[in-house]
Amino acid sequence: MNQPSATPPPENPNPFPGTSCLGPIIRLAEVDSTNRYLLDAARAGEASGTVVVADHQSAGRGRLGRTWEAPAGASLLMSVLLRPEIAPDITIASVHLLTMAAGLAMADAVEAVAGFAPILKWPNDLLVGDRKLCGMLTESEITDGALRCVVVGIGVNVQWSDFPAELVETATACNLVSGRDISRDELLEEFVERYSVLLNDLNSVLSDYRERLGTLNTRVRIELAGEAFEGIAEGVTDDGSLEVRTDGGALRCITAGDVVHLRPV
Ligand code: BT5
């Protein structure tokens, strides 16, 4: 007698077994911006935890209306959709923890895959020396005073042969630092594992970020709209602002702006 055929188990929608909350991964060959794509998808109901990865962006976004440039296939260009249910501690006032956690997770992923430890720079960069390896842009959707979703966008230079003239003095890539080919997929996998763990325990993120932030105790130049000054970066407040002791002795709290690391003190 024929045995009734067993129903096959449903396919695991999480491509990274052992992690609890990130996935599925949507892979795109080309998009204007993974952040734009995922914010629109979120408005249309896309699930929390969805990750979008693109080979190329035609209009990659930086902060303050700037652009993020990368030739096709050279960078890990990704965005992660997070809704409050995936990280229940998240409120409007603590969204910065998601970016800090992404920075910590990506720094560790780079170290695991490429064998070197990048420096964290406030608020959102990974550097090697004074060259930028990775930038992050977090965008939130708030309606009626409530946080609906957060999209954390990350661009990491992974496998570059040349840099465009405007980046040649300021950027670097994993393969150039490690002296060997580096896989975007391996980096993605390592990042997703680490980020999932941190999202499940955001309480430790701020202290880990402070401990590992290369900006602290460093002489910095702060560039704000219409103003620049120098000082020593002394701390990060609970709301994620950078505290800088100016040469005049005042303590200034920076919520948004650009930081240049000048030299260690
Ligand atoms: C950032 O802005 O560093 C945030 C970059 C976020 C990019 C990711 S890629 C996936 C996701 N989808 C998006 O559309 N965006 C995110 P900011 O701190 O403003 O730095 C931007 C500046 O970095 C530019 O003005 C350039 O000077 C420089 N830059 C641009 N492309 C770069 C690259 N590939 N490597 C290093 N520096 C770069």
Side-chain angles (χ1 to χ4, degrees), residues 31-36 52 54 57 59-71 75-79 121 123-125 131-139 151-157 160 163-164 166-167 170-172 257-258:
V31 72
D32 52 351
S33 152
T34 56
N35 270 29
R36 195 283 307 153
V52 170
Q57 295 182 128
R61 297 177 182 173
R63 293 177 307 137
L64 308 167
R66 293 186 286 231
T67 55
W68 188 256
E69 307 290 340
S75 286
L76 176 57
L77 305 167
M78 63 181 294
S79 300
K121 190 187 87 166
N124 62 348
D125 291 349
R131 287 174 177 265
K132 185 156 166 164
L133 180 79
C134 166
M136 296 183 193
L137 173 68
T138 298
E139 299 183 81
V151 167
V152 180
I154 307 165
V156 191
N157 302 329
W160 284 58
F163 284 90
E166 66 273 20
L167 297 179
T170 56
T172 191
D258 286 314

Side-chain angles (χ1 to χ4, degrees), residues 14-247:
N14 183 343
F16 299 107
T19 62
S20 53
C21 58
L22 295 184
I25 293 181
I26 299 172
R27 292 176 184 273
L28 306 171
E30 172 82 32
V31 72
D32 52 351
S33 152
T34 56
N35 270 29
R36 195 283 307 153
Y37 179 97
L38 202 46
L39 281 163
D40 281 355
R43 286 178 202 116
E46 186 65 60
S48 189
T50 299
V51 178
V52 170
V53 182
D55 291 334
H56 185 238
Q57 295 182 128
S58 54
R61 297 177 182 173
R63 293 177 307 137
L64 308 167
R66 293 186 286 231
T67 55
W68 188 256
E69 307 290 340
S75 286
L76 176 57
L77 305 167
M78 63 181 294
S79 300
V80 181
L81 171 59
L82 301 169
R83 298 185 192 273
E85 71 258 27
I86 207 169
D89 305 349
I90 282 303
T91 61
I92 293 169
S94 59
V95 166
H96 59 281
L97 296 178
L98 300 176
T99 320
M100 291 176 177
L104 291 166
M106 189 56 85
D108 286 346
V110 167
E111 189 166 5
V113 173
F116 65 90
I119 299 165
L120 270 86
K121 190 187 87 166
W122 187 92
N124 62 348
D125 291 349
L126 298 183
L127 305 182
V128 178
D130 57 0
R131 287 174 177 265
K132 185 156 166 164
L133 180 79
C134 166
M136 296 183 193
L137 173 68
T138 298
E139 299 183 81
S140 306
E141 180 116 326
I142 294 166
T143 44
D144 301 329
L147 182 65
R148 301 292 167 198
C149 71
V150 178
V151 167
V152 180
I154 307 165
V156 191
N157 302 329
V158 176
Q159 184 70 31
W160 284 58
S161 42
D162 323 292
F163 284 90
E166 66 273 20
L167 297 179
V168 86
E169 301 286 339
T170 56
T172 191
C174 293
N175 65 314
L176 301 177
V177 180
S178 66
R180 60 185 163 86
D181 292 351
I182 302 297
S183 149
R184 287 182 295 157
D185 280 348
E186 259 181 62
L187 190 60
L188 172 65
E189 187 167 342
E190 290 286 343
F191 169 78
V192 166
E193 266 182 31
R194 287 169 165 75
Y195 198 32
S196 297
V197 170
L198 293 184
L199 289 174
N200 284 313
D201 181 19
L202 285 169
N203 293 327
S204 59
V205 164
L206 190 58
S207 59
D208 286 356
Y209 179 81
R210 284 181 178 127
E211 207 167 286
R212 293 177 50 186
L213 186 65
T215 308
L216 291 186
N217 304 315
T218 298
R219 186 162 181 83
V220 291
R221 185 169 66 252
I222 304 295
E223 296 172 350
L224 307 173
E227 187 197 1
F229 67 92
E230 291 187 12
I232 307 293
E234 284 192 352
V236 174
T237 61
D238 289 353
D239 69 3
S241 303
L242 185 69
E243 292 176 312
V244 180
R245 182 75 58 188
T246 68
D247 292 345

